[in-house]
Amino acid sequence: MKLSKMHIKTLREVPSEAEIPSHILLLRAGMITKLVSGIYGFLPLGRRVLRKIEDIIREEMDERGGEEILMSAIQPAELWEESGRWNAYGPEMWRLTDRHGRSFCLGPTHEEIFTDLARRDITSYRQLPARIYQIQTKYRDEARPRFGLMRSREFIMKDLYSFDRDEAGLDESYKAMYEAYDAVFKRCGLDARPVEADTGAIGGNASHEFTALSSVGESEIASCDSCGLATTVERGKVLDAKPESGEELELEKVHTPSATTIEEVAKYLEIDEARTIKALLFVVDDEDSEYYVAAFIRGDRELNMTKLVNALGIAEHSIAFADEEAISKTTGCVGGFTGPIGLKNCKLIVDSELVHMKNLVAGANEKDYHIKNVNYGRDYEGDIVVDIKTLKEGYPCPVCGNPVKITRGIEVGQVFKLGDKYSKAMRATYKDEEQKDRLMLMGCYGIGVSRTLAAIVEQHHDDNGIIWPISVAPFHVMVTVINPAEDMQLALASDIYEKLKSKGVEVILDDRKERPGVKFKDADLMGFPINIIVGRRATENIVEYKLRAEGEKEELHSEEAVNRAVKLVVEQRDGRNYLKEPFKAE
Ligand code: ATP
Ligand code: MG
């Protein structure tokens, strides 16, 4: 392709809405374009990268028995009602009504659709296992779309669903997909770690997220160098502090004027924050019931919303912080002075470690007062007692006790053992050898294809632009003509271009009438792995050869430049080289 003829427009300025490198660079390099908040289009270069990622995914899925289909984005409400998720999914679901008043949604995911397909088409054990997937557009009306492709409202996902006869089969499908994911991300040049993930209110079943290490990632993962633990902080268990023995002292009301935060109370009473009880109040709006929840944790701990939501068995969108003043009459709470004693008309969730601690300080449910020597069992009890605290840097590893590390990452994929959750609700059965009806066991496996594209940029860029790994680069080589008005230069560049093309190398020719500086800047910004520059020494057949990742230019005979480029591209274009020696994020 000749750059002068292509639909590409690069930007010098950083677009005002973009905050993170991938968002800024993808917009600036003219790879994506924004329509409205959270909705993007892919321009020629971006489309090519997307296709490369998709093709790597296809290869890895197909190698493991995956069969590609394409279902529609529009889904009828009836299927979601069968699974019970039509109401449970909440405001993230994009709902619509047709002219006859029938309800639909734009699919945020496709479990119902694939379960329905399986129950219609699969009747016998002979048809199992089945691994069916698609690469398709998903819709989620995210509360906070941001960071460009990272969290958008329309995005591209690969979703595979496995159907097996029994647990052993499901284990096998899960393992196959886990391995496929590992290979996909490596071949895309990503350093993505599998981490144990939360399974939500369903509980019990296994799940892993693949997380690309990145400081801009929204996921937090806890890892332990000693035992190899790697888990999302939502899932990571926090060990309770050692149980305390000793005498339970008498309750004592103390005046704590204006001390409304844990920090202020601890300071005022000259005690450690860990000797206090922190209260957090919520309102839950769960389908047809509304109720209040008070969560109590040790003063120095942080509440983990996912653990709280799981303990309550509700959907994440149905809980919100309560307006303490508005609910004070009903519950008896007093903003800043709320404690567990005497609180009424609300569900009490108590963090497990509080049960074994003695003589703590809690709010008195009275303005400007706290209570000393509060003890679980004697003074208050929880409706639910469970670990609801967040795992933090330096906390003991739940497996081996050594301090854990917290790293940020981008969730690029997730694998999940669903078991019979959907097949039971939607009656997806098959007949076994004895003609007995049995439920299929399912797994689901998603890759955020467009998010993966952004994650690659996060891990591969510098101040000047993107540095594409060869396996996903929109083109492998950029041939830059310094002065296209010089016949010799244009002729040599065209010759190099044709030779590379004839060897299957994807090449773009920058023949624009622009200043050399502009061309170099654009080449760096767009991030083609190899740049061959044809300038004044074209008369001697000498060109400059530059690898985007390394930055140094080297003068070479044009033949040598072509040979080197071909060799490198052939070695790396399928990304399998990264399977042996994966790219490591800094
Ligand atoms: P997140 O926790 O980031 O919201 P999720 O757990 O809701 O993601 P899944 O339902 O597991 O996501 O979807 C599978 C994959 O789709 C994710 O691993 C992620 O890569 C991608 N994905 C999910 N939501 C978005 C989004 N809003 N924009 C882009 N990609 C997304
Ligand atoms: Mg997920």
PDB file of all heavy atoms in Angstrom, residues 214-235:
ATOM      1  N   SER A 214       0.206  -4.230  33.865  1.00  0.00           N
ATOM      2  CA  SER A 214       0.236  -2.853  33.391  1.00  0.00           C
ATOM      3  C   SER A 214      -0.181  -1.930  34.519  1.00  0.00           C
ATOM      4  O   SER A 214      -1.140  -2.211  35.239  1.00  0.00           O
ATOM      5  CB  SER A 214      -0.725  -2.695  32.213  1.00  0.00           C
ATOM      6  OG  SER A 214      -0.979  -1.331  31.997  1.00  0.00           O
ATOM      7  N   SER A 215       0.523  -0.812  34.639  1.00  0.00           N
ATOM      8  CA  SER A 215       0.211   0.114  35.730  1.00  0.00           C
ATOM      9  C   SER A 215      -1.148   0.773  35.524  1.00  0.00           C
ATOM     10  O   SER A 215      -1.737   1.281  36.466  1.00  0.00           O
ATOM     11  CB  SER A 215       1.299   1.179  35.833  1.00  0.00           C
ATOM     12  OG  SER A 215       1.402   1.856  34.607  1.00  0.00           O
ATOM     13  N   VAL A 216      -1.666   0.776  34.297  1.00  0.00           N
ATOM     14  CA  VAL A 216      -2.966   1.413  34.075  1.00  0.00           C
ATOM     15  C   VAL A 216      -4.120   0.423  34.205  1.00  0.00           C
ATOM     16  O   VAL A 216      -5.279   0.787  34.044  1.00  0.00           O
ATOM     17  CB  VAL A 216      -3.062   2.117  32.692  1.00  0.00           C
ATOM     18  CG1 VAL A 216      -1.937   3.122  32.530  1.00  0.00           C
ATOM     19  CG2 VAL A 216      -3.057   1.103  31.557  1.00  0.00           C
ATOM     20  N   GLY A 217      -3.809  -0.836  34.498  1.00  0.00           N
ATOM     21  CA  GLY A 217      -4.848  -1.857  34.584  1.00  0.00           C
ATOM     22  C   GLY A 217      -5.811  -1.596  35.730  1.00  0.00           C
ATOM     23  O   GLY A 217      -5.442  -1.006  36.743  1.00  0.00           O
ATOM     24  N   GLU A 218      -7.043  -2.050  35.553  1.00  0.00           N
ATOM     25  CA  GLU A 218      -8.053  -1.841  36.594  1.00  0.00           C
ATOM     26  C   GLU A 218      -8.148  -3.035  37.541  1.00  0.00           C
ATOM     27  O   GLU A 218      -8.852  -2.968  38.539  1.00  0.00           O
ATOM     28  CB  GLU A 218      -9.420  -1.590  35.956  1.00  0.00           C
ATOM     29  CG  GLU A 218      -9.471  -0.280  35.178  1.00  0.00           C
ATOM     30  CD  GLU A 218     -10.838  -0.051  34.562  1.00  0.00           C
ATOM     31  OE1 GLU A 218     -11.173  -0.735  33.586  1.00  0.00           O
ATOM     32  OE2 GLU A 218     -11.565   0.817  35.061  1.00  0.00           O
ATOM     33  N   SER A 219      -7.460  -4.137  37.220  1.00  0.00           N
ATOM     34  CA  SER A 219      -7.502  -5.304  38.109  1.00  0.00           C
ATOM     35  C   SER A 219      -6.302  -5.270  39.032  1.00  0.00           C
ATOM     36  O   SER A 219      -5.214  -4.875  38.628  1.00  0.00           O
ATOM     37  CB  SER A 219      -7.424  -6.601  37.307  1.00  0.00           C
ATOM     38  OG  SER A 219      -8.399  -6.649  36.334  1.00  0.00           O
ATOM     39  N   GLU A 220      -6.514  -5.738  40.248  1.00  0.00           N
ATOM     40  CA  GLU A 220      -5.391  -5.864  41.171  1.00  0.00           C
ATOM     41  C   GLU A 220      -5.155  -7.339  41.418  1.00  0.00           C
ATOM     42  O   GLU A 220      -6.105  -8.067  41.740  1.00  0.00           O
ATOM     43  CB  GLU A 220      -5.713  -5.164  42.484  1.00  0.00           C
ATOM     44  CG  GLU A 220      -5.485  -3.664  42.400  1.00  0.00           C
ATOM     45  CD  GLU A 220      -5.647  -3.004  43.750  1.00  0.00           C
ATOM     46  OE1 GLU A 220      -6.691  -3.254  44.380  1.00  0.00           O
ATOM     47  OE2 GLU A 220      -4.755  -2.276  44.165  1.00  0.00           O
ATOM     48  N   ILE A 221      -3.911  -7.750  41.256  1.00  0.00           N
ATOM     49  CA  ILE A 221      -3.623  -9.152  41.529  1.00  0.00           C
ATOM     50  C   ILE A 221      -2.620  -9.273  42.660  1.00  0.00           C
ATOM     51  O   ILE A 221      -1.704  -8.475  42.787  1.00  0.00           O
ATOM     52  CB  ILE A 221      -3.152  -9.922  40.269  1.00  0.00           C
ATOM     53  CG1 ILE A 221      -1.950  -9.271  39.623  1.00  0.00           C
ATOM     54  CG2 ILE A 221      -4.258 -10.029  39.262  1.00  0.00           C
ATOM     55  CD1 ILE A 221      -1.490 -10.003  38.385  1.00  0.00           C
ATOM     56  N   ALA A 222      -2.877 -10.287  43.471  1.00  0.00           N
ATOM     57  CA  ALA A 222      -1.977 -10.542  44.600  1.00  0.00           C
ATOM     58  C   ALA A 222      -1.146 -11.756  44.247  1.00  0.00           C
ATOM     59  O   ALA A 222      -1.680 -12.758  43.774  1.00  0.00           O
ATOM     60  CB  ALA A 222      -2.795 -10.812  45.855  1.00  0.00           C
ATOM     61  N   SER A 223       0.163 -11.645  44.448  1.00  0.00           N
ATOM     62  CA  SER A 223       0.999 -12.805  44.152  1.00  0.00           C
ATOM     63  C   SER A 223       1.987 -13.015  45.288  1.00  0.00           C
ATOM     64  O   SER A 223       2.297 -12.102  46.052  1.00  0.00           O
ATOM     65  CB  SER A 223       1.728 -12.600  42.833  1.00  0.00           C
ATOM     66  OG  SER A 223       2.483 -11.418  42.881  1.00  0.00           O
ATOM     67  N   CYS A 224       2.442 -14.262  45.376  1.00  0.00           N
ATOM     68  CA  CYS A 224       3.387 -14.610  46.429  1.00  0.00           C
ATOM     69  C   CYS A 224       4.587 -15.293  45.791  1.00  0.00           C
ATOM     70  O   CYS A 224       4.436 -16.297  45.098  1.00  0.00           O
ATOM     71  CB  CYS A 224       2.706 -15.544  47.426  1.00  0.00           C
ATOM     72  SG  CYS A 224       3.851 -16.202  48.639  1.00  0.00           S
ATOM     73  N   ASP A 225       5.743 -14.706  45.982  1.00  0.00           N
ATOM     74  CA  ASP A 225       6.963 -15.263  45.388  1.00  0.00           C
ATOM     75  C   ASP A 225       7.332 -16.604  46.018  1.00  0.00           C
ATOM     76  O   ASP A 225       7.952 -17.439  45.379  1.00  0.00           O
ATOM     77  CB  ASP A 225       8.138 -14.289  45.572  1.00  0.00           C
ATOM     78  CG  ASP A 225       7.965 -13.059  44.698  1.00  0.00           C
ATOM     79  OD1 ASP A 225       7.161 -13.141  43.740  1.00  0.00           O
ATOM     80  OD2 ASP A 225       8.603 -12.024  44.978  1.00  0.00           O
ATOM     81  N   SER A 226       6.957 -16.804  47.264  1.00  0.00           N
ATOM     82  CA  SER A 226       7.365 -18.031  47.948  1.00  0.00           C
ATOM     83  C   SER A 226       6.599 -19.260  47.467  1.00  0.00           C
ATOM     84  O   SER A 226       7.187 -20.288  47.189  1.00  0.00           O
ATOM     85  CB  SER A 226       7.162 -17.919  49.454  1.00  0.00           C
ATOM     86  OG  SER A 226       7.670 -16.704  49.911  1.00  0.00           O
ATOM     87  N   CYS A 227       5.257 -19.144  47.361  1.00  0.00           N
ATOM     88  CA  CYS A 227       4.495 -20.357  47.030  1.00  0.00           C
ATOM     89  C   CYS A 227       3.877 -20.285  45.638  1.00  0.00           C
ATOM     90  O   CYS A 227       3.252 -21.236  45.190  1.00  0.00           O
ATOM     91  CB  CYS A 227       3.413 -20.612  48.067  1.00  0.00           C
ATOM     92  SG  CYS A 227       2.048 -19.461  47.990  1.00  0.00           S
ATOM     93  N   GLY A 228       4.027 -19.137  44.952  1.00  0.00           N
ATOM     94  CA  GLY A 228       3.509 -19.054  43.584  1.00  0.00           C
ATOM     95  C   GLY A 228       2.044 -18.689  43.498  1.00  0.00           C
ATOM     96  O   GLY A 228       1.465 -18.676  42.414  1.00  0.00           O
ATOM     97  N   LEU A 229       1.415 -18.360  44.619  1.00  0.00           N
ATOM     98  CA  LEU A 229       0.013 -17.940  44.579  1.00  0.00           C
ATOM     99  C   LEU A 229      -0.157 -16.741  43.636  1.00  0.00           C
ATOM    100  O   LEU A 229       0.685 -15.845  43.611  1.00  0.00           O
ATOM    101  CB  LEU A 229      -0.436 -17.508  45.990  1.00  0.00           C
ATOM    102  CG  LEU A 229      -1.766 -16.748  46.051  1.00  0.00           C
ATOM    103  CD1 LEU A 229      -2.910 -17.695  46.335  1.00  0.00           C
ATOM    104  CD2 LEU A 229      -1.722 -15.634  47.076  1.00  0.00           C
ATOM    105  N   ALA A 230      -1.207 -16.753  42.832  1.00  0.00           N
ATOM    106  CA  ALA A 230      -1.563 -15.591  42.015  1.00  0.00           C
ATOM    107  C   ALA A 230      -3.076 -15.546  41.982  1.00  0.00           C
ATOM    108  O   ALA A 230      -3.727 -16.477  41.522  1.00  0.00           O
ATOM    109  CB  ALA A 230      -1.007 -15.731  40.602  1.00  0.00           C
ATOM    110  N   THR A 231      -3.633 -14.470  42.488  1.00  0.00           N
ATOM    111  CA  THR A 231      -5.088 -14.397  42.596  1.00  0.00           C
ATOM    112  C   THR A 231      -5.545 -12.945  42.462  1.00  0.00           C
ATOM    113  O   THR A 231      -4.775 -12.031  42.723  1.00  0.00           O
ATOM    114  CB  THR A 231      -5.556 -14.964  43.966  1.00  0.00           C
ATOM    115  OG1 THR A 231      -6.953 -14.715  44.130  1.00  0.00           O
ATOM    116  CG2 THR A 231      -4.824 -14.331  45.131  1.00  0.00           C
ATOM    117  N   THR A 232      -6.788 -12.761  42.054  1.00  0.00           N
ATOM    118  CA  THR A 232      -7.309 -11.399  42.071  1.00  0.00           C
ATOM    119  C   THR A 232      -7.544 -11.032  43.541  1.00  0.00           C
ATOM    120  O   THR A 232      -7.782 -11.919  44.362  1.00  0.00           O
ATOM    121  CB  THR A 232      -8.647 -11.286  41.319  1.00  0.00           C
ATOM    122  OG1 THR A 232      -9.595 -12.136  41.965  1.00  0.00           O
ATOM    123  CG2 THR A 232      -8.505 -11.707  39.871  1.00  0.00           C
ATOM    124  N   VAL A 233      -7.468  -9.750  43.856  1.00  0.00           N
ATOM    125  CA  VAL A 233      -7.653  -9.389  45.265  1.00  0.00           C
ATOM    126  C   VAL A 233      -9.073  -9.671  45.733  1.00  0.00           C
ATOM    127  O   VAL A 233      -9.323  -9.869  46.920  1.00  0.00           O
ATOM    128  CB  VAL A 233      -7.267  -7.929  45.583  1.00  0.00           C
ATOM    129  CG1 VAL A 233      -5.802  -7.686  45.384  1.00  0.00           C
ATOM    130  CG2 VAL A 233      -8.096  -6.961  44.793  1.00  0.00           C
ATOM    131  N   GLU A 234     -10.029  -9.726  44.790  1.00  0.00           N
ATOM    132  CA  GLU A 234     -11.409 -10.053  45.174  1.00  0.00           C
ATOM    133  C   GLU A 234     -11.486 -11.461  45.739  1.00  0.00           C
ATOM    134  O   GLU A 234     -12.255 -11.751  46.619  1.00  0.00           O
ATOM    135  CB  GLU A 234     -12.360  -9.996  43.969  1.00  0.00           C
ATOM    136  CG  GLU A 234     -12.710  -8.622  43.492  1.00  0.00           C
ATOM    137  CD  GLU A 234     -11.626  -8.051  42.613  1.00  0.00           C
ATOM    138  OE1 GLU A 234     -10.901  -8.852  41.991  1.00  0.00           O
ATOM    139  OE2 GLU A 234     -11.479  -6.810  42.576  1.00  0.00           O
ATOM    140  N   ARG A 235     -10.695 -12.337  45.156  1.00  0.00           N
ATOM    141  CA  ARG A 235     -10.785 -13.729  45.549  1.00  0.00           C
ATOM    142  C   ARG A 235      -9.847 -14.061  46.704  1.00  0.00           C
ATOM    143  O   ARG A 235     -10.117 -14.962  47.508  1.00  0.00           O
ATOM    144  CB  ARG A 235     -10.447 -14.615  44.358  1.00  0.00           C
ATOM    145  CG  ARG A 235     -10.635 -16.077  44.676  1.00  0.00           C
ATOM    146  CD  ARG A 235     -10.168 -16.937  43.531  1.00  0.00           C
ATOM    147  NE  ARG A 235      -9.810 -18.245  44.024  1.00  0.00           N
ATOM    148  CZ  ARG A 235     -10.646 -19.256  44.095  1.00  0.00           C
ATOM    149  NH1 ARG A 235     -11.883 -19.101  43.707  1.00  0.00           N
ATOM    150  NH2 ARG A 235     -10.249 -20.416  44.566  1.00  0.00           N
TER     151      ARG A 235
END
